[in-house]
Amino acid sequence: MPRMGIYPHVLLLQCVVLTFVCSAFAFTEEPADKTAKSDGYCSRILRAQGTRREGYNEFRLRVEGDPEHYQPGSTYRVTLYASSPSYFRGFTLIALKEGKDGDRDEDYAGNFQIIDEEDTQFMTNCPPAVTESTPRRRTRIQVFWTAPPAGSGCVILKASIVQKRIIYFQDEGSLTKRMCEKESLFGEETEKPALECCACGTAKYRVTFYGNWSEKVHPKDYPKRANHWSAIIGASHSRSYVLWEYGGYASEGVKQVAELGSPVKMEEEIRQKGDDVLTVIKAKAQWPAWQPLNVRAAPSAEFSVDRTRHLMSFLTMLGPSPDWNVGLSAEDLCTKECGWVQRVIQDMIPWDAGTDNGVTYESPNKPNIPQEKIRPLTSLDHPQSPFYDPEGGPITAVARLVVERIARKGEQCNIVPDNVDDIVADIAQEDKEEDDTPETCIYSNWSPWSACSSSTCEKGKRMRQRMLKAQLDLSVSCPHTQDFEPCMGPGCSDEDGSTCMMSDWITWSPCSLSCGMGVRSRERYIKQFPEDSSICTLPTEETETCLVNEQCSTSSCLVAEWGEWDACSATCGVGMKRRERRVKMPPSDGSLCSTEVAEVEKCMMPECHTIPCMLSPWSDWSDCSVSCGKGLRTRQRMLKSPVELGECTEDLEQVEKCMLPECPMDCILSEWSEWTECNKSCGKGHVIRMRMVKLEPQFGGDPCPETVQRKKCKVRKCNRGAGTSDERRRRKEEREKRRGKQSHDDTAQEHPGCKMRPWSGWTDCTKPCGGGIQERFMTVKKRFKSAQFASCKDRKEIRACNVHPC
């Protein structure tokens, strides 16, 4: 991204080129009412009447693979380039629906994506269009274009070229590309590649599977238990081997994947094909079917292709289901230009393997006899289908597949490279070890690698970490959370991040003079900046003198050598500088001298220190501050630039929350209540006290101890038959009173040797809150002669009451 100090000079330079553009366009006058319907700028571009050169193909607009049809939603690489020795300084690129004028937003089709922000940007006054970021001499630009959704019809890609004061805008020819929507293959056999592959070397790809089958997107009858994607199985293979195809019959391996989710038989079939297969593609199953990417990374696998084995096929089961799958069949990664496809993005709907007759996710097993052909599911298959739509609309995609080229190996033979990187991308990445992490272990993503432990060229090691978020099955151990690999100090490796990676030089520009001694130049750009934030010092432009036609005519002017460059207009960042030369001899015919006598070009000064600090990479995250529950972790970085450059406002430390398994919580009790009064007025009795449970134990904490305690009490001996007449009278009245309260209960309680009166009612609680007691009594009504005193006596019960806190 450009820094703050650059903008005024870039804008000045853009104004200069835009002046060239505007002076060359002749705008057609439009009625005021029509112009008011839009911002007007896009439509002015489309109605510009610039120079048109039929049949002249020095400039060309190309879509990777030169397809005549586009797949809705797929992404294509679009390249605009000039044939040597031509070049262009500016350009405009648009994509219109066929037959549309571009007056409305709806007239534009698909979306452009910027690849290199130093070369391209969206046009400020016409957002659907792409234009240059900085006007300079260039021979090619590239952007991605994502095709519009189904039903958009044909699309016209148009480009305009600005070369000094000359503008080309073609409605036909090499600066226009027409592409129409690819028809659906539903019910048809899988399309087979028609041409032999002419690519050289090999290419390496990474396939990533993004499942979108979820209850939110596909709510009808969504299985809430056991929903999953089975393990991915596939291969890169030759045209003579077919893993599966629409209109064909499922092999035993495909059947086992489709019905059981088992890839074992399918892998066995693939490996039996010998030289027809280059790479077996495998990725893990996903349980459950959908989780956010910050919880679980999308499964991916890497594979290679070559000239004879340039097709890629795979499948994975939608589970539970009768025999429904998603996958690609014989996807060709070889282009017509003898190169390798850069990227494939495919939204996927399920297909039926034809081996089971079920219509819902959890239909009982009912084999198809005879077996039917493989076909895509549709929204009109059966009213009970989870994808049923009475209007017959498209099925919402259940997954998206992204296949990206990550390396090329060996000498490449395509004449027009896909990008400059392809010229030097001849080193394939080493195969990674298979990830053996059990599916029951859920981890965070790996942290960045730490700095090497060695600061010299002696071997050291570096480390990265990840955090175990959950262990779904305690019987299965989870692997380590730290990873180490050997390394050497800075400057000791060929892949040292402190060096600049440069592109190749582009061809020399034409000589600045058509007669006599002139100047020509060539350019290159920085492909990769150093990881340590140091400045690239390698030159990006070269200039040399050139001589054209020493015997110049008298109508030419003779000019002196160029003078020294003026000082850069900027004290920091990017500025402009100027140099001049004088006319030594004007043309003898009295005409004006057409030779340039002044030149202006960009100049680079030390970086503007709007952010004056140079920082080291972040350290690894520290361990969580707690051993369980919620805590904090930190990471730091160091200030590498001198303090004299200015105050550094960047953070040198970051803190974030971390979560470990919940901490055990022990039972929490209130304080003991006071002891109650003795339950007997004489003789042996007891007293009690209680406490409340404030918090039950959680996550394996200590259980609650006893909440009620009892101990004996003894007031005084009871004297049988003793007591004053007043006391005897009082006890008699209390007995009669209790007897009167229980007169309604005629049922007498029986004990061996005696007859008992019914239980009395519970007395009032001794406390309104904080824990009190209640009592009730049972007395002897009649004692038989055979009764023993120990078994026939009055009884009393006590219980707690009003235990809530005060």
Side-chain angles (χ1 to χ4, degrees):
M1 293 292 292
R3 289 175 168 79
M4 293 177 63
I6 298 176
Y7 287 118
H9 311 294
V10 174
L11 292 175
L12 175 62
L13 196 58
Q14 282 187 323
C15 290
V16 173
V17 175
L18 286 176
T19 302
F20 291 163
V21 176
C22 295
S23 64
F25 278 87
F27 298 109
T28 304
E29 292 293 325
E30 293 291 327
D33 58 342
K34 183 173 182 180
T35 306
K37 293 180 181 179
S38 67
D39 63 4
Y41 198 84
C42 290
S43 56
R44 289 206 303 273
I45 295 174
L46 296 174
R47 288 192 291 274
Q49 303 299 318
T51 304
R52 178 167 171 165
R53 303 178 63 173
E54 297 286 1
Y56 191 64
N57 294 327
E58 60 179 326
F59 304 110
R60 183 184 176 197
L61 176 67
R62 173 177 174 258
V63 178
E64 183 180 35
D66 284 345
E68 297 179 358
H69 300 86
Y70 66 84
Q71 183 75 34
S74 293
T75 300
Y76 301 86
R77 185 185 294 268
V78 178
T79 306
L80 181 62
Y81 63 90
S83 302
S84 178
S86 299
Y87 63 91
F88 55 93
R89 293 182 180 271
F91 70 95
T92 304
L93 183 61
I94 57 173
L96 281 176
K97 294 179 181 177
E98 189 173 43
K100 298 297 182 180
D101 296 327
D103 292 329
R104 300 175 303 167
D105 291 342
E106 303 83 69
D107 293 352
Y108 295 88
N111 297 288
F112 288 107
Q113 300 170 44
I114 301 299
I115 297 177
D116 187 351
E117 293 180 347
E118 292 187 359
D119 265 346
T120 54
Q121 67 178 14
F122 292 104
M123 185 174 285
T124 305
N125 296 329
C126 182
V130 176
T131 187
E132 71 278 359
S133 293
T134 54
R136 64 176 177 83
R137 187 158 44 218
R138 50 171 59 81
T139 58
R140 66 192 294 117
I141 63 96
Q142 292 184 332
V143 294
F144 284 130
W145 177 70
T146 301
S152 299
C154 295
V155 176
I156 307 296
L157 294 172
K158 292 184 176 183
S160 65
I161 290 295
V162 180
Q163 187 184 36
K164 290 191 177 181
R165 295 177 177 270
I166 303 173
I167 300 174
Y168 305 104
F169 195 109
Q170 295 185 330
D171 292 326
E172 299 86 25
S174 59
L175 287 179
T176 300
K177 176 72 175 179
R178 180 177 183 267
M179 297 172 64
C180 293
E181 183 177 343
K182 188 175 182 179
E183 296 181 359
S184 171
L185 296 175
F186 288 177
E188 303 176 5
E189 294 189 2
T190 303
E191 185 178 6
K192 298 293 181 61
L195 300 175
E196 294 289 341
C197 178
C198 57
C200 300
T202 62
K204 190 169 187 178
Y205 288 86
R206 179 182 294 112
V207 54
T208 307
F209 183 84
Y210 299 94
N212 194 36
W213 178 49
S214 65
E215 186 175 11
K216 181 179 179 180
V217 181
H218 303 87
K220 183 180 178 183
D221 299 334
Y222 187 79
K224 297 185 178 180
R225 294 187 178 183
N227 57 80
H228 67 284
W229 294 102
S230 73
I232 292 174
I233 184 68
S236 57
H237 58 91
S238 67
R239 189 179 307 160
S240 60
Y241 175 43
V242 177
L243 274 76
W244 70 273
E245 62 179 344
Y246 290 123
Y249 290 97
S251 66
E252 182 60 31
V254 173
K255 178 181 178 181
Q256 289 193 17
V257 173
E259 294 188 10
L260 307 176
S262 171
V264 176
K265 183 64 177 178
M266 185 79 250
E267 182 176 354
E268 180 184 328
E269 291 179 356
I270 292 172
R271 295 191 183 279
Q272 287 176 351
K273 291 300 176 179
D275 291 341
D276 282 330
V277 172
L278 182 59
T279 308
V280 178
I281 300 171
K282 296 193 294 183
K284 287 186 175 182
Q286 299 180 78
W287 293 80
W290 185 89
Q291 280 186 348
L293 293 178
N294 60 353
V295 176
R296 180 187 63 200
S300 63
E302 296 179 2
F303 65 95
S304 299
V305 292
D306 60 16
R307 176 179 290 188
T308 59
R309 294 160 292 191
H310 52 93
L311 305 181
M312 177 267 193
S313 302
F314 88 97
L315 69 159
T316 176
M317 181 193 77
L318 193 78
S321 71
D323 58 347
W324 299 342
N325 300 253
V326 298
L328 284 183
S329 174
E331 182 70 24
D332 195 350
L333 300 176
C334 184
T335 68
K336 297 177 182 178
E337 287 71 34
C338 305
W340 298 110
V341 171
Q342 176 70 28
R343 179 189 298 177
V344 176
I345 300 177
Q346 182 71 50
D347 289 322
M348 318 193 84
I349 63 169
W351 47 268
D352 190 317
T355 61
D356 194 285
N357 200 28
V359 296
T360 66
Y361 289 125
E362 299 180 281
S363 294
N365 187 33
K366 188 178 180 182
N368 271 333
I369 302 176
Q371 184 174 329
E372 296 180 356
K373 292 181 178 181
I374 297 174
R375 66 173 184 86
L377 293 180
T378 73
S379 59
L380 295 174
D381 285 339
H382 195 281
Q384 295 181 4
S385 167
F387 306 108
Y388 180 72
D389 179 1
E391 298 181 358
I395 293 177
T396 303
V398 297
R400 169 169 285 194
L401 190 80
V402 178
V403 181
E404 294 181 288
R405 194 181 72 216
I406 57 176
R408 290 169 46 155
K409 187 175 181 181
E411 184 178 353
Q412 304 300 318
C413 53
N414 51 323
I415 299 173
V416 181
D418 294 322
N419 55 36
V420 180
D421 293 340
D422 291 341
I423 301 174
V424 295
D426 58 353
I427 302 176
Q429 300 176 358
E430 294 183 1
D431 292 334
K432 298 180 180 178
E433 296 181 1
E434 291 189 5
D435 185 5
D436 57 355
T437 303
E439 296 174 6
T440 56
C441 300
I442 307 300
Y443 290 94
S444 66
N445 291 330
W446 284 106
S447 68
W449 286 103
S450 67
C452 190
S453 62
S454 171
S455 59
T456 66
C457 289
E458 296 295 325
K459 285 189 177 180
K461 63 180 180 180
R462 59 179 183 170
M463 181 191 73
R464 61 178 181 174
Q465 300 182 96
R466 59 181 176 179
M467 186 172 67
L468 179 63
K469 291 186 173 181
Q471 187 173 357
L472 305 181
D473 187 351
L474 297 178
S475 64
V476 178
S477 61
C478 291
H480 57 276
T481 57
Q482 291 185 331
D483 191 16
F484 297 89
E485 72 173 15
C487 59
M488 291 186 292
C492 301
S493 170
D494 292 338
E495 299 178 355
D496 180 26
S498 63
T499 59
C500 298
M501 183 179 293
M502 308 295 293
S503 70
D504 286 350
W505 291 102
I506 63 174
T507 55
W508 288 102
S509 67
C511 195
S512 60
L513 295 180
S514 59
C515 180
M517 186 71 70
V519 177
R520 65 175 185 172
S521 63
R522 64 177 182 174
E523 300 170 342
R524 62 180 178 178
Y525 67 92
I526 300 172
K527 290 175 57 182
Q528 180 176 317
F529 285 89
E531 294 178 0
D532 61 3
S533 302
S534 60
I535 298 174
C536 287
T537 57
L538 297 175
T540 58
E541 187 173 353
E542 284 186 347
T543 303
E544 69 176 17
T545 58
C546 52
L547 180 63
V548 180
N549 188 11
E550 293 185 72
Q551 304 297 324
C552 295
S553 68
T554 57
S555 61
S556 299
C557 57
L558 183 63
V559 294
E561 294 292 329
W562 285 107
E564 295 294 328
W565 287 103
D566 294 340
C568 191
S569 61
T571 57
C572 64
V574 177
M576 305 295 295
K577 62 181 180 179
R578 175 187 175 89
R579 66 175 180 177
E580 298 178 347
R581 57 183 174 180
R582 63 185 179 86
V583 178
K584 296 172 66 175
M585 181 182 296
S588 59
D589 58 4
S591 60
L592 296 177
C593 186
S594 60
T595 305
E596 293 182 356
V597 294
E599 265 190 348
V600 178
E601 72 174 24
K602 290 188 296 184
C603 53
M604 176 70 75
M605 301 297 289
E607 286 191 30
C608 296
H609 296 292
T610 52
I611 302 177
C613 42
M614 186 181 298
L615 301 168
S616 68
W618 284 107
S619 68
D620 294 330
W621 285 106
S622 66
D623 294 333
C624 198
S625 60
V626 295
S627 58
C628 60
K630 295 180 180 178
L632 298 173
R633 62 176 187 169
T634 61
R635 64 176 182 176
Q636 295 85 26
R637 57 182 175 181
M638 297 173 57
L639 179 64
K640 296 172 63 177
S641 58
V643 179
E644 297 79 24
L645 291 179
E647 181 182 357
C648 180
T649 59
E650 295 293 317
D651 292 335
L652 299 180
E653 184 176 60
Q654 285 184 346
V655 181
E656 73 173 13
K657 296 178 181 178
C658 50
M659 183 71 183
L660 295 176
E662 295 286 353
C663 299
M665 300 182 66
D666 299 333
C667 175
I668 299 178
L669 300 171
S670 67
E671 296 295 327
W672 284 106
S673 66
E674 296 294 332
W675 288 101
T676 64
E677 296 179 0
C678 192
N679 66 330
K680 295 286 183 69
S681 59
C682 64
K684 294 180 179 179
H686 64 265
V687 294
I688 63 172
R689 66 173 182 175
M690 293 169 293
R691 54 183 175 180
M692 294 173 50
V693 176
K694 289 185 175 181
L695 180 66
E696 295 288 348
Q698 298 182 30
F699 311 114
D702 293 336
C704 293
E706 61 181 354
T707 57
V708 179
Q709 285 185 348
R710 169 186 290 192
K711 68 178 181 179
K712 295 178 180 179
C713 61
K714 184 175 182 181
V715 181
R716 58 183 175 84
K717 286 187 177 182
C718 295
N719 297 323
R720 293 185 178 274
T724 63
S725 59
D726 291 337
E727 288 177 345
R728 288 194 297 272
R729 185 171 58 253
R730 180 173 54 80
R731 288 197 294 271
K732 181 179 181 181
E733 287 174 355
E734 288 178 354
R735 287 195 299 271
E736 290 176 352
K737 185 179 180 180
R738 288 196 297 271
R739 190 180 298 116
K741 288 182 179 180
Q742 300 170 4
S743 60
H744 63 279
D745 189 355
D746 296 329
T747 304
Q749 299 294 328
E750 297 295 332
H751 278 254
C754 59
K755 187 173 184 180
M756 307 297 291
R757 288 185 176 87
W759 282 106
S760 68
W762 289 103
T763 62
D764 294 335
C765 191
T766 59
K767 289 187 178 183
C769 60
I773 60 170
Q774 289 175 300
E775 299 177 332
R776 68 174 183 174
F777 306 88
M778 178 187 287
T779 58
V780 178
K781 184 177 181 181
K782 184 179 180 181
R783 183 180 289 110
F784 301 116
K785 294 181 179 180
S786 60
Q788 297 180 2
F789 182 81
S791 63
C792 189
K793 59 181 180 180
D794 294 344
R795 303 183 65 194
K796 181 170 69 172
E797 286 187 347
I798 299 176
R799 71 178 182 184
C801 58
N802 292 340
V803 295
H804 56 277
C806 295

